[in-house]
């Protein structure tokens, strides 16, 4: 888990030196890269990095340039197919100075420009300075595993892996955005490129940015596409085999590291499958980590122990109490840099600390499976609600909800008014492109009742759902109901909340690299 930062002054000014400002930024994100740091300074440009050494520990220092010395990069993340790309580069007669993937990235950019992004299999955010063109190129991975925040005004542009790094700059205002708060208390996150703070933005997942003088150009190079969904089960067997191959390859390529690799083991399907594949690829003892809860309603320790025993892992587990969560929650917020609507990121923070205490830097996790394989209840709930909407007065169809929510006992009573009011929200609006998530977002929005009068007045009737409609793909209305649900869950909840609050930001607090 590395951290990057940079400042580009369009005009030379009498402000404090770039070096001093850049060192303050790097100091604020030192926890991301405790192994080493580096700077590259020019007349009006400064790039910096703090590094957690994973690949080529001896010679992978940053910033680093391409063969010509014209392109300089700071980079956070990992290109898993860097070995294959290295061979392609060397075939062109180019000699690389190191064995690290950072040099591969900058050399690929020197060869292909923004087209290099199509070659990368990995998770990353990086910035490259073109000395000849006096131009910055910034890019972020497809689903937003690695963060990249920026700020700009008439005379200056700055970026950092964390918002707190930008706030070390004297001229960056620290102010909450009311519209972003409205989004957070609807979707659990902001809609990209917004952050909770005014004039602080994120580079959206799957996008790149070019900054030259005071001109900023942002373009998309990749996006989710669920439009080819086909319910035909005739070729299911071949699709399952293809999926198994891709999943096995994804795990195998993530095991490339010059340091030990461990795995989270929750006892659920996702982590058990990834642990199984690691065991097949490398049968030697695997270190696994899990967290249990004193409250037995949430505890899955027995499943974790069963999986660990079956795969013969070296397992480390610890118990989390409500008191532990309360004690660590403020620290969680400091790292997340977002208002959090639930406390689950805190146990993840505590778990990553346990991993660090075992001198492990890299952990395989199972995030993303439920979004792409439609495992969450929200997908099933949407299907039931669509079926119920065909006969809204039915007393039988609502009972199907008790199959996915058996702990809500009154669902079994189809005449229960409260249940109908809850799950029947906008029941018949099945043509609404946001249909699958309307109920969740409506219920979350009720939290806004605690907004102060000042915030409510400043919103002036702002409706956050109108903002998301403008971001949908052009042919979104023609997608299947399931495809629409998956897109919304992956782009809003997974990229905006799950990977941000429970993934990168929790891991970075302890210098642990999570591989998804």
């Amino acid at each position: 888990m590395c951290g990057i930062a940079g400042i580009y002054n369009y005009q030379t000014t009498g402000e404090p030196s770039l070096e001093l400002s850049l060192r303050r930024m790097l100091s604020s994100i030192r926890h991301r890269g405790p192994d080493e740091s580096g700077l590259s300074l020019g007349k009006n440009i400064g790039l910096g990095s703090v590094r957690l050494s994973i690949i080529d520990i001896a010679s992978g220092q940053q910033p680093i340039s391409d063969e010509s010395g014209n392109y300089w990069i700071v980079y956070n993340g990992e290109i898993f197919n860097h070995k294959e790309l290295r061979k392609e580069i060397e075939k062109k007669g180019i000699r690389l100075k190191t064995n690290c993937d950072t040099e591969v990235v900058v050399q690929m950019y020197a060869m292909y420009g923004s087209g290099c992004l199509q070659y990368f299999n990995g998770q990353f955010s990086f910035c490259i300075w073109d000395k000849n063109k006096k131009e910055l190129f910034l890019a972020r991975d497809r689903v937003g595993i690695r963060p990249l925040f920026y700020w700009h005004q008439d005379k200056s542009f700055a970026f950092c892996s964390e918002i707190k790094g930008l706030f070390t700059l004297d001229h960056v205002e620290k102010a909450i955005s009311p519209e972003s708060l409205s989004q957070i208390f609807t979707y659990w996150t902001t809609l990209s490129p917004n952050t909770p703070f005014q004039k602080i933005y994120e580079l959206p997942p799957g996008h790149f940015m070019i900054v030259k003088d005071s001109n900023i150009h942002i373009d998309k190079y990749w996006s989710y596409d669920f439009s080819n969904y086909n319910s035909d089960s005739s070729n299911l067997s071949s699709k399952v085999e293809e999926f198994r191959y891709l999943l096995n390859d994804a795990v195998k390529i993530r095991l490339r590291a010059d340091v030990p690799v461990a795995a989270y083991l929750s006892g659920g399907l996702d982590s058990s499958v990834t642990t199984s594949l690691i065991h097949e690829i490398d049968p030697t003892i695997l270190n696994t980590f899990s967290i249990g809860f004193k409250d037995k309603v949430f505890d899955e320790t027995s499943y974790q122990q069963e999986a660990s025993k079956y795969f013969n892992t070296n397992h480390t587990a610890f118990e989390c109490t409500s008191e532990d969560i309360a004690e660590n929650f403020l620290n969680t917020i400091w790292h997340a840099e977002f208002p959090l609507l639930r406390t689950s990121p805190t146990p993840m923070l505590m778990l990553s600390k346990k991993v660090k205490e075992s001198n492990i830097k890299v952990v395989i996790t199972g995030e993303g499976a439920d979004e792409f394989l439609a495992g969450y209840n929200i997908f099933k709930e949407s299907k039931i609600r669509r079926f119920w909407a065909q006969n809204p007065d039915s007393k039988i169809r609502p009972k199907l909800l008790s199959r996915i929510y058996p702990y809500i006992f009154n669902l079994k009573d189809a005449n229960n008014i409260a249940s109908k009011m809850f799950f029947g929200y906008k029941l018949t609006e099945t043509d609404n492109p946001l249909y699958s998530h309307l109920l969740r977002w409506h219920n979350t929005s009720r939290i806004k009742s605690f907004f102060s009068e000042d915030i409510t007045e400043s919103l002036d009737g702002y409706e956050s759902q109108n903002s998301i409609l403008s971001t949908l793909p052009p042919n979104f209305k023609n997608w299947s109901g399931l495809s629409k649900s998956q897109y919304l869950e992956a782009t809003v909840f997974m990229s905006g909340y799950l990977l941000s609050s429970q993934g990168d930001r929790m891991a970075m607090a302890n210098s642990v690299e999570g591989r998804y």
Side-chain angles (χ1 to χ4, degrees), residues 81 155 218 224 233 270 276 293 315 335 439 449:
N81 63 332
K155 298 179 180 180
I218 298 177
Y224 293 96
S233 60
D270 304 345
S276 171
F293 294 92
H315 192 61
H335 283 294
L439 178 58
S449 60

Side-chain angles (χ1 to χ4, degrees), residues 381 385 408 417-425 439 443 446:
E381 175 191 300
R385 277 171 33 90
I408 305 179
I417 297 176
S419 296
K420 284 189 175 182
M421 289 179 62
F422 184 88
F423 287 100
Y425 176 74
L439 178 58
N443 290 327
R446 293 176 178 176

Side-chain angles (χ1 to χ4, degrees), residues 99-349:
N99 293 315
C100 69
D101 57 335
T102 309
E103 190 180 8
V104 169
V105 173
V106 69
Q107 191 60 57
M108 289 292 290
Y109 180 77
M111 293 164 53
Y112 300 110
S114 63
C116 69
L117 298 169
Q118 303 301 331
Y119 292 87
F120 296 155
N121 178 350
Q123 50 193 44
F124 54 82
S125 64
F126 63 83
C127 176
I128 294 175
W129 170 247
D130 185 330
K131 290 172 60 177
N132 291 336
K133 291 184 177 180
K134 306 299 182 190
E135 176 179 282
L136 285 177
F137 177 83
L138 301 96
R140 193 171 175 212
D141 64 70
R142 292 168 176 80
V143 300
I145 298 174
R146 291 289 176 260
L148 189 57
F149 301 100
Y150 68 93
W151 164 92
H152 66 94
Q153 64 175 17
D154 294 340
K155 298 179 180 180
S156 187
F157 172 89
F159 69 89
C160 193
S161 293
E162 297 185 28
I163 296 173
K164 59 179 66 69
L166 296 172
F167 281 158
T168 65
L169 303 176
D170 295 334
H171 40 286
V172 175
E173 180 184 7
K174 304 176 183 68
I176 295 292
S177 166
E179 289 188 0
S180 292
L181 282 183
S182 179
Q183 292 175 6
I184 291 169
F185 291 103
T186 301
Y187 311 114
W188 297 28
T189 183
T190 53
L191 299 176
S192 190
N194 295 329
T195 74
F197 304 98
Q198 293 181 14
K199 299 181 181 179
I200 304 290
Y201 304 97
E202 70 165 11
L203 181 61
H207 284 68
F208 67 83
M209 170 192 290
I210 296 174
V211 183
K212 185 176 178 62
D213 296 326
S214 59
N215 298 313
I216 296 178
H217 172 75
I218 298 177
D219 205 353
K220 181 188 297 183
Y221 70 89
W222 184 89
S223 62
Y224 293 96
D225 185 4
F226 293 98
S227 62
N228 294 321
Y229 170 76
N230 187 350
S231 60
D232 181 16
S233 60
S234 60
N235 62 345
L236 180 60
S237 179
S238 63
K239 291 297 182 183
V240 169
E241 287 303 311
E242 180 184 6
F243 175 75
R244 178 175 177 80
Y245 168 79
L246 291 172
L247 182 58
N248 185 77
D249 182 68
V251 172
K252 184 177 181 179
I253 204 169
R254 280 161 174 75
L255 294 177
R256 293 176 172 177
D258 296 331
V259 295
V261 178
Y264 286 148
L265 187 57
S266 68
L269 286 176
D270 304 345
S271 65
S272 296
V273 168
T274 54
T275 300
S276 171
L277 291 173
I278 296 172
H279 184 71
E280 289 180 11
I281 296 166
D282 184 0
T284 58
I285 288 295
L286 170 68
N287 292 302
T288 55
F289 295 83
S290 67
I291 185 169
F293 294 92
K294 188 173 182 180
D295 188 338
K296 297 308 175 184
V297 174
F298 305 105
D299 187 62
E300 297 179 336
T301 299
S302 61
Y303 302 111
Q304 297 161 1
Q305 292 175 340
E306 183 176 353
S308 172
K309 182 178 180 181
Y310 183 84
F311 296 119
N312 189 33
T313 72
N314 180 30
H315 192 61
T316 300
F318 78 101
E319 186 178 74
C320 177
T321 67
S322 298
E323 291 75 18
D324 293 329
I325 293 175
E327 183 179 343
N328 288 276
F329 190 66
L330 284 180
N331 194 33
T332 305
I333 295 293
W334 186 84
H335 283 294
E337 302 180 323
F338 260 69
L340 298 177
L341 275 67
R342 62 180 183 178
T343 59
S344 57
T346 299
M348 292 299 295
L349 172 65

Side-chain angles (χ1 to χ4, degrees), residues 13-32:
T13 66
E15 296 178 3
S17 71
L18 277 174
E19 181 177 356
L20 177 61
S21 296
L22 201 50
R23 288 192 183 279
R24 287 206 307 258
M25 293 176 75
L26 293 178
S27 178
S28 72
I29 60 170
R30 180 64 180 169
H31 49 273
R32 294 186 68 92

